[in-house]
Amino acid sequence: MQDYEVEAFKGLDLIFIHNHPNGSDASEADLRAAFAAGAEMLMVVTPQGYEYVYVRGARGMIRIRAEEASYEVAPGTAEEHALLEARSWAQTQADRLNPPEWMMLQEEREPYVPTIGLKVSGTLRLYPDELFDRVDTPFLPVIAADNSPPLRVFGYSQLNPHAVWIELGDWKFWVDISDPDAEMTFVPLMEHGDSSTKTMEEVVATGAPSGYEILPIVPDERAHGGSSNIETSDEEWADRTGRDNDPKTKRGLLSRDYNHVPDEDDPEKIHESFQLQSPVIGPDVRVEFVVRGHETLGNYVVISFPASVYQSDEEIMQQLAMQGQAAAHLNNQSLAPHLTEEERSKMERMASIADHNPDRWHEDGRIFYAFAHLSKIYVNAEETINSRDRAIIGLTGKSGTNQHHLDLAILYVGSSNPGSGAMETELNILRSEYKRKGSNSVSYFFGLVERSQLYPTNNRFILYAENMDSARLHPELDESGIAEYMKGYSIYAQ
């Protein structure tokens, strides 16, 4: 903008700048909204380089100028253009899945409270911008003593792998965690009363979190050594990410289908429902979603609980390790030389997906169970499953599909980087979106996968996620052991 325009803006409390791609003037709705909001000035700009300027009058907005704009839009140099393009792309990725209401009503979101601090000793250099490798000198150097309190960590840069955003006093700065003149370590902060947050290693070292109990998913005595006649009806791990003109990747959210087979002499006769029970009960086993009548998922329930409950259980972790070993083992079979290229590719993909890495499971990680096509639901969203009498989730059925079966997906999701706070932020958005949109909103649950490395086309891996095969974790759902990674290859191969 020109100097005289900058001068015109000085002292004004509120200015609206509005873009009209079609080149039109301000609409009546624009003028009413600006006046009602108390704006002192409204500017409407167009891609053709024209501007309409209004100022506040006694009874409405009054137009004072309609002419060619007197400012240049393009960056001054090629370097500036490249920098602005990079920042614009990063912001677009950050806001791609955010509904417009979050951008316009930032104050209504729950404030992010960091639980990770940065302990520093030595010379701490502070930068105003995350791209500090483009700056010759830091904004300010600070000498930090060994006994200085930890600095709050608010986030990590998507553009600079060494940049961390911290709070110092009433200000926030970027710091270089690879700076050779400063020793930096991430530590938990005292955020919840008198108890500090714990690292995953500390939780596991003290055993499972208190108050949790692991249960079979079928609340039936037959599941404990007897026959419940439940078999996989989708023997392969089904890919739920494929779309039109977008080949299925065997990444994203994977699930299996299960059916109750009441007639052992007629395995095709599949019509009997069975009850489902939460696999865990405890103080933070939460019903995240209750969806009734979704067009493809039918009656849909998603529950979650801390990942530490599973990580501290030796038997479960052994099952996950065996799942990875079994998938990888397929590549060493004598049949391998005779596989087609497509079959070999399927094996390699499934082996990589099943190769679990609990070292990437951070303190904020949670396990999600998603149950689709239920005929009845016995739980309510936001309630806690903290006792056996509240653990029954619902009854299987065929809502949202023409085939009677249970579609079950199990997913770990947590921050990609410890201390980044990404999982806490995304979980708050997921829960708030459910409240805002109502019972048929499930997009933000699938959005967790799209923000992780399981969705490679997105290229925004702020979360780390793993699919867990329910046939491994819950053998009561696959009594005949027919679950496969691909046609003809059992997941139980040794």
Side-chain angles (χ1 to χ4, degrees), residues 303-307 310 361 365-369 410-412 468:
I303 69 168
S304 78
F305 51 87
Y310 272 6
W361 290 22
R366 295 182 74 83
I367 306 294
F368 292 84
Y369 274 65
I410 308 177
L411 187 72
Y412 164 87
M468 286 177 280

Side-chain angles (χ1 to χ4, degrees), residues 116-359:
I116 295 295
L118 188 65
K119 187 73 175 172
V120 182
S121 62
T123 301
L124 180 66
R125 294 176 174 86
L126 308 175
Y127 299 88
D129 194 293
E130 60 187 309
L131 293 173
F132 46 72
D133 58 323
R134 298 176 181 268
V135 185
D136 293 331
T137 58
F139 175 73
L140 181 70
V142 174
I143 304 300
D146 289 337
N147 59 353
S148 299
L151 303 169
R152 294 172 184 266
V153 173
F154 275 81
Y156 292 80
S157 170
Q158 299 264 342
L159 305 176
N160 186 335
H162 304 298
V164 174
W165 199 32
I166 58 101
E167 180 185 61
L168 182 63
D170 296 328
W171 300 89
K172 295 184 178 69
F173 299 97
W174 290 94
V175 297
D176 181 2
I177 58 173
S178 65
D179 193 324
D181 294 331
E183 291 188 11
M184 304 187 197
T185 54
F186 294 103
V187 296
L189 287 177
M190 301 287 283
E191 293 291 348
H192 308 290
D194 294 330
S195 62
S196 65
T197 53
K198 296 181 179 180
T199 64
M200 178 62 75
E201 289 75 14
E202 290 172 325
V203 171
V204 175
T206 58
S210 61
Y212 292 90
E213 182 181 3
I214 297 176
L215 304 174
I217 205 169
V218 182
D220 192 314
E221 290 301 321
R222 291 176 298 179
H224 301 274
S227 173
S228 57
N229 295 324
I230 299 173
E231 311 295 353
T232 56
S233 52
D234 190 340
E235 289 149 3
E236 290 192 69
W237 223 359
D239 180 8
R240 306 303 179 194
T241 62
R243 299 172 180 168
D244 292 341
N245 303 318
D246 183 11
K248 295 193 174 193
T249 61
K250 290 296 181 188
R251 305 296 289 271
L253 185 65
L254 304 182
S255 67
R256 284 194 187 276
D257 293 345
Y258 297 93
N259 283 324
H260 199 216
V261 185
D263 189 345
E264 295 182 6
D265 297 327
D266 186 2
E268 297 301 318
K269 188 179 179 183
I270 300 170
H271 56 74
E272 185 177 318
S273 296
F274 58 93
Q275 281 192 329
L276 296 168
Q277 154 176 286
S278 171
V280 172
I281 59 173
D284 189 17
V285 180
R286 178 188 168 101
V287 182
E288 301 286 359
F289 284 97
V290 172
V291 177
R292 290 181 170 85
H294 188 275
E295 58 182 350
T296 56
L297 298 170
N299 298 327
Y300 192 61
V301 175
V302 178
I303 69 168
S304 78
F305 51 87
S308 54
V309 177
Y310 272 6
Q311 190 171 26
S312 58
D313 185 279
E314 277 188 34
E315 184 175 349
I316 288 176
M317 298 313 293
Q318 184 178 18
Q319 285 297 320
L320 294 178
M322 289 174 62
Q323 179 179 322
Q325 293 166 7
H329 183 70
L330 294 174
N331 290 323
N332 298 322
Q333 294 295 301
S334 58
L335 290 174
H338 307 290
L339 296 176
T340 66
E341 194 62 35
E342 181 182 3
E343 289 173 329
R344 184 183 299 279
S345 177
K346 282 185 178 181
M347 283 185 176
E348 290 173 352
R349 284 198 300 266
M350 296 311 298
S352 67
I353 291 169
D355 187 12
H356 296 284
N357 184 10
D359 290 340

